[in-house]
Amino acid sequence: MSSAGPQHAGGNQGNGSQPSGRGLRSLPGFTVAAVVFVLIVLLGVGGIAIANWNQSATVAIAVTAGAAAPTSPPPTTAPPTTNPPTTAPPTAGSGIISTVFSIAPRPGKVVVDTVTCEPHASNGRFNISWPKVSPAADSYTVSIKSQTSKTAFQSTVDVRPTTNPLVSTTFDIGNQPEQFGLYLLRIQGIKSGAAGDPIYRTLNYSAKGKGACQWGASDGLPPLGAFSVDAGPQRQTANADANLNPNANRVNLGFVGAAEATEFVVSVESLSSTSSYGAEYKANAGGSTLIFPLRTIQGYEPAASAAFYGQYKVRIIPMNGQVAGDPVYKTVQYQQWSTEVWD
């Protein structure tokens, strides 16, 4: 780089030939020369200082113009997250048999031979009573309907227990001869919306002022209609996975009848005191499928033992709001080489 420019400027200052102060400022290049002079004074004399300023100017301007506010460096390690559960709870409508489930507590079943039917004089009024059940029921659905009398009679009431150890209700049947005959009595406990199992007795109304409870059985026409269940292992195709054929882990349930039911509650409980597997869920009309854990294959054969092997009690009950039908029970046996179902 030539040093002629700076030396020439310095010579003009030395010989006293520059114009007055105002005229000097109006000369071309005065401002640049002044900046150069200040840098020479501050950084040192000669062409080296000017060269340093020229080289650094562009870099300094570029950095200043493009610089952003300093930010904190991102963490080198992401914060720990909560691990998902190893076993997801069954979803509503699924028949997955697992260790993550809950079965709503149901009330106990009324003991059949403790139910009494006492007439009131000869007016055709009967008082029906029975001891409280355990586990306790919030209420009882009690119905009575004629079976052999010439006059049709049917009535249903909800009865709530009191402090009295006996629960009771009254039915007025009538005191005419055509009203004599047999009447079917049904009592079913309810606890927090969960229906227990009903019991049946027969009221034998033989004459005015005479009548008593006898042993009885359902006439096949419970609330919500007659109901049955077709159940069996799911059939497998010839090329099914070796873990499913011939060891099907699914049991199909087909619901037949109960036309007035809006849903079915399916409960699955192990009959083994050491097993913690089961399920309870709501199913739609038509049917459902129970899905047991897959058998573990060891050397091309199912493992000889597993915590989920054994027998299970399956209960299916039709429901319509708080109205419950009669449940149907099935037993499922899930073992190493077979899946069987029976009543």
Side-chain angles (χ1 to χ4, degrees):
M1 179 183 295
S2 174
S3 58
Q7 290 171 351
H8 177 71
N12 291 338
Q13 295 171 6
N15 60 23
S17 61
Q18 67 262 53
S20 63
R22 181 174 183 180
L24 181 62
R25 286 192 299 271
S26 63
L27 292 176
F30 171 78
T31 303
V32 175
V35 173
V36 171
F37 174 76
V38 172
L39 288 174
I40 292 173
V41 173
L42 295 177
L43 301 178
V45 296
I48 296 176
I50 298 174
N52 287 341
W53 179 83
N54 285 335
Q55 292 172 357
S56 64
T58 302
V59 177
I61 292 171
V63 171
T64 302
T71 58
S72 300
T76 56
T77 304
T81 58
T82 303
N83 294 326
T86 56
T87 304
T91 58
S94 70
I96 300 174
I97 312 302
S98 73
T99 58
V100 184
F101 72 99
S102 61
I103 292 181
R106 297 188 292 267
K109 189 175 181 178
V110 175
V111 179
V112 175
D113 59 4
T114 63
V115 180
T116 60
C117 304
E118 298 179 355
H120 285 226
S122 61
N123 57 8
R125 178 180 298 175
F126 286 85
N127 184 64
I128 314 298
S129 63
W130 61 94
K132 294 177 180 177
V133 300
S134 179
D138 299 330
S139 65
Y140 297 84
T141 301
V142 186
S143 63
I144 190 171
K145 59 182 175 180
S146 56
Q147 290 184 295
T148 63
S149 66
K150 297 179 181 179
T151 302
F153 179 89
Q154 183 167 346
S155 178
T156 300
V157 295
D158 289 327
V159 182
R160 292 192 173 274
T162 65
T163 56
N164 194 311
L166 291 179
V167 185
S168 62
T169 188
T170 300
F171 291 102
D172 290 318
I173 298 176
N175 61 354
Q176 301 303 313
E178 60 268 21
Q179 294 163 331
F180 301 161
L182 300 179
Y183 291 80
L184 185 64
L185 182 67
R186 180 182 185 271
I187 305 174
Q188 182 177 35
I190 306 291
K191 181 179 179 65
S192 300
D197 287 10
I199 62 99
Y200 290 87
R201 294 219 70 175
T202 298
L203 167 62
N204 186 356
Y205 184 19
S206 60
K208 290 183 179 181
K210 295 182 180 180
C213 277
Q214 300 175 344
W215 290 96
S218 172
D219 61 354
L221 298 173
L224 308 181
F227 169 61
S228 63
V229 176
D230 290 334
Q234 180 172 303
R235 298 181 62 181
Q236 302 296 306
T237 59
N239 60 351
D241 187 280
N243 197 32
L244 298 177
N245 188 12
N247 319 306
N249 72 316
R250 295 171 180 253
V251 173
N252 291 337
L253 305 175
F255 307 149
V256 182
E260 299 179 33
T262 57
E263 63 186 11
F264 295 80
V265 177
V266 182
S267 306
V268 184
E269 298 180 80
S270 173
L271 295 177
S272 170
S273 59
T274 60
S275 175
S276 57
Y277 283 82
E280 180 163 277
Y281 63 99
K282 293 180 180 180
N284 297 324
S288 181
T289 300
L290 303 181
I291 305 174
F292 289 84
L294 288 171
R295 298 172 175 89
T296 301
I297 299 301
Q298 297 178 344
Y300 301 99
E301 293 185 355
S305 62
F308 45 79
Y309 287 168
Q311 293 183 0
Y312 293 81
K313 178 176 66 175
V314 182
R315 178 183 189 262
I316 308 102
I317 185 168
M319 298 290 297
N320 187 332
Q322 294 295 310
V323 179
D326 288 8
V328 171
Y329 284 90
K330 297 289 183 179
T331 299
V332 176
Q333 180 169 278
Y334 186 58
Q335 296 291 0
Q336 178 186 11
W337 287 106
S338 65
T339 304
E340 301 177 58
V341 182
W342 61 83
D343 293 335

